[in-house]
Amino acid sequence: MRASVTLPAVIDAVERVLAHEAAGRAWNLDKSMASWPAPTADEPAARGSAHALGAVDLDAQLAIFKTWVNTPAGASALLTLFSAAEGTTLGVAEAGTAGALRTAAVSGVATRWLAAPDADELAVLGAGRQALRQVEAVAAVRPLRSVRVWNRTLARAEALAEQVRDGLGLETIVAGSVADATKDAPIVTLITRASEPFLRAEHLAPGTHLNAVGAILPTHAEFEPALLGESALTVVDSLPTARRGSRELREFYGADADEWADVRTLADVVAGSVARPCDPRCTVFKGMGMGLSDLAVAGLLTGGTS
């Protein structure tokens, strides 16, 4: 990966590509996936999954495809880049690091537009491979003064807290419960592989912005679907993917497309067609993964600006 590709640069690149999407110049190729049981001693309900997605951006003249497999034991991903103008192959890259960057960057974009401007505390629930990047993304768009970490396995929470202190220089504490972690926190990020929801509306303080980016399998959920009834604005990265794959949103909104009318996309937010309401009970961003965020990273990797 190019040394100049930093997380703040990826956040800005994702915003630019979302503006292209809003203008009708860029498109996602809808995500497809399959999953299978892959239990471990620590996670008896764990599953493995295989995914494929893509995107085209006419302004950047790029087309990309990404495929990856994720299991409790590890994950790997490949990103293929093409010229949208000439159809030539521009490259194939191992995309594990790039994938973590783009997942975090999308949370950074959502936080930039949907969290309160003065939000200065973050609760991060989950301490897996992508958790540190999620903290870094929020710190890139808000003046964080402290971070609270909760994880079902205490040792992992303590390890993440140490990484945040050492790597980002932020005051960090390990919370003993979900309620302790989220109490009065203006920003909450979920980055777990939970098979059953554990976050409820009462865990969120008034005005909190929630990034829910961990449960991307239709069998998994991190927050109670009823929480969406409290959300003043619910935003997704890709509406077709959320309708197919988000258990939380599907259980709340059902199968009728009309019931999803109030769910907006991050492209809508970046384009200014919808904004954070005044004094919301809470706002929710549900990230499922989209090709345009991978394309944004690919544009930086190839020396462009997307």
Side-chain angles (χ1 to χ4, degrees), residues 256-280:
D256 188 344
D258 291 341
E259 298 298 322
W260 289 71
D262 290 336
V263 180
R264 306 302 294 267
T265 68
L266 205 51
D268 293 331
V269 175
V270 170
S273 60
V274 64
R276 173 183 167 88
C278 294
D279 300 321

Side-chain angles (χ1 to χ4, degrees), residues 151-205:
N151 191 71
R152 185 178 61 183
T153 303
L154 178 61
R156 290 187 180 181
E158 291 173 338
L160 175 61
E162 184 175 356
Q163 287 180 308
V164 173
R165 293 186 200 105
D166 293 345
L168 303 179
L170 294 171
E171 177 187 342
T172 308
I173 65 168
V174 174
S177 67
V178 171
D180 288 343
T182 59
K183 181 177 174 60
D184 298 326
I187 307 169
V188 174
T189 293
L190 305 179
I191 185 68
T192 76
R193 300 171 71 179
S195 57
E196 294 299 328
F198 59 87
L199 184 80
R200 301 186 301 275
E202 57 261 37
H203 288 136
L204 301 182

Side-chain angles (χ1 to χ4, degrees), residues 50-81:
H51 309 253
L53 49 70
V56 179
D57 184 350
L58 296 184
D59 288 338
Q61 288 300 308
L62 278 179
I64 65 99
F65 292 91
K66 189 173 94 168
T67 55
W68 75 101
V69 171
N70 192 3
T71 75
S76 61
L78 290 176
L79 181 67
T80 309
L81 292 69

Side-chain angles (χ1 to χ4, degrees), residues 7-8 11 100-125 130-148 164 168 170 185-191 208-213 285:
L7 186 49
I11 292 171
L101 275 173
R102 67 89 153 148
T103 301
V106 174
S107 295
V109 173
T111 303
R112 174 181 280 169
W113 291 84
L114 297 175
D118 60 351
D120 59 2
E121 288 187 280
L122 167 67
V124 58
L125 310 183
Q130 297 199 33
L132 180 61
R133 286 292 195 186
Q134 290 289 326
V135 177
E136 185 182 353
V138 173
V141 299
R142 287 294 183 272
L144 291 184
R145 61 179 176 84
S146 64
V147 177
R148 303 176 211 159
V164 173
L168 303 179
L170 294 171
I187 307 169
V188 174
T189 293
L190 305 179
I191 185 68
T208 295
H209 171 63
L210 172 66
N211 294 310
V213 293
F285 170 65

Side-chain angles (χ1 to χ4, degrees), residues 9 22 34 60 75 84 90 98 121 125 127 132 139 161 164 220 230 233 238 253 256 261 278 297:
L90 301 177
E121 288 187 280
L125 310 183
L132 180 61
V164 173
H220 286 42
E230 302 292 322
L233 177 60
S238 166
Y253 292 108
D256 188 344
C278 294
V297 179

